[in-house]
Amino acid sequence: MGEEYSRLSLGLDIGSSFVKLVALSRRDGRWALKDVALASLPEGAIVDGDVMDSGAVAESIEALFRRLELQENRVISGISGRAVIVKPIRIPTDDPDELAQNVSWEAEQYLPSLNDVNLDYHVIERGAGQTRVLLVAAKRERLENHRMILRLAGLEPLIIDVDSFALGNCYELNRPAEAPRTAVLLNIGAALTNINVLCEGSPHFTRDVSIAGNNFTEAAARELSLSVADAERAKRGELPEVDPLALNDVLDSVAEDLVGEISRTLGHFFDTNPELELSRVFLSGGSSGLPQITMALEKTLAVPVEHLDPLAELDLDDSGMNRDDLATLAPQLAVGVGLAIRGADDELP
Ligand SMILES: Nc1ncnc2c1ncn2[C@@H]1O[C@H](COP(=O)(O)OP(=O)(O)OP(=O)(O)O)[C@@H](O)[C@H]1O
Ligand SMILES: [Mg+2]
């Protein structure tokens, strides 16, 4: 008989269209999926990543937890978009203690005001009298609002992470055996596309682009004179009466806008980091199944594009869900899985 399961670790990904909860537990050195739940948010509750109606978001989360009857209310959650600024900077020391002391002083030169942000950093590379770091500045007001929503929903925030870093952790857990040295991760949601460039396991660059699923729906509604609800169904291939060629043209043109933005961003990054090579792209997020996006990426970036499976390394036997349902949800779970695996795994119930 193996070890007992650890206590539940809950990753709560509050997106602008869906809240995703991933409940994991650890046993015998492996993460097991214990529960997964999604709740769609009322329209207008979160617009372009900004919370407009905290009460409505909290209510959706509370309802989701009531349904699941979990014995755990501590969650790991994440912020993204305008709530965080991530910048690669160089600090003129390779001494870790000195770095920790100097980082906020150095950060002052790159950020409008340090009073309004919580600072953190990831070391990219250390040596020859300097350290390259990714500076992470989370806006305090947004962090507080996020915590307030969780508390309103009856939850206790354990960690507030950044979505694109959670995406990186999810990739690290699930990456294929013959993974490239440098991996470009794209998580294409409703309002945002999170970009994370990982090299040998550590994030070297992240940025959130504000073109994603909503832009496809809005363009289909506008160009094909559909209601937003019908445009959403058309986009998912669930509205047979719409002209497939006209729909494809609309989706193609938004995919090109999105990929243009991604390609400019990556082009700039790889130009300034010539030691790294763009060799493979991994997709996740609710919008990542749109074939127009994969085609535009392959054409423009000329590298293989594949889908990240956030559940690949999880034991799924205890989740109570069948594999087909899990496979349908999987693209939306990347951030939630990445959040949940930051949970303490050494505490048994
Ligand atoms: N089968 C599908 N085909 C196309 N698009 C889909 C499909 N299923 C979901 N989507 C789209 O995926 C998006 C939701 O994905 P996701 O849950 O990753 O976003 P989110 O986290 O709520 O948003 P964000 O992180 O951008 O704030 C919506 O735009 C939805 O229309
Ligand atoms: Mg999201």
Side-chain angles (χ1 to χ4, degrees), residues 192-207:
L192 295 173
T193 293
N194 317 111
I195 307 177
N196 184 346
V197 181
L198 280 186
C199 182
E200 289 175 341
S202 79
H204 280 231
F205 172 82
T206 83
R207 196 182 144 210

Side-chain angles (χ1 to χ4, degrees), residues 13-20 49 80 163 187-194 212-214 217 232 235-236 285-287 289-290 331-332:
D13 173 13
I14 308 176
S16 56
S17 68
F18 287 92
V19 174
K20 280 83 65 182
S80 59
D163 286 356
N187 184 59
I188 312 167
L192 295 173
T193 293
N194 317 111
N214 292 341
T217 309
E232 177 73 33
K235 179 178 83 169
R236 294 171 182 240
S287 301
L290 285 173
Q332 280 179 279

Side-chain angles (χ1 to χ4, degrees), residues 4-10 22-35 314-315 318 340 344-345 347-349:
E4 269 182 275
Y5 275 118
S6 72
R7 69 169 176 78
L8 280 184
S9 181
L10 304 182
V22 175
L24 302 182
S25 184
R26 227 177 140 79
R27 187 170 70 166
D28 296 333
R30 187 157 187 228
W31 286 106
L33 183 69
K34 302 295 259 184
D35 234 321
L314 304 181
D315 174 357
D318 267 1
D345 52 322
E347 291 176 45
L348 294 173

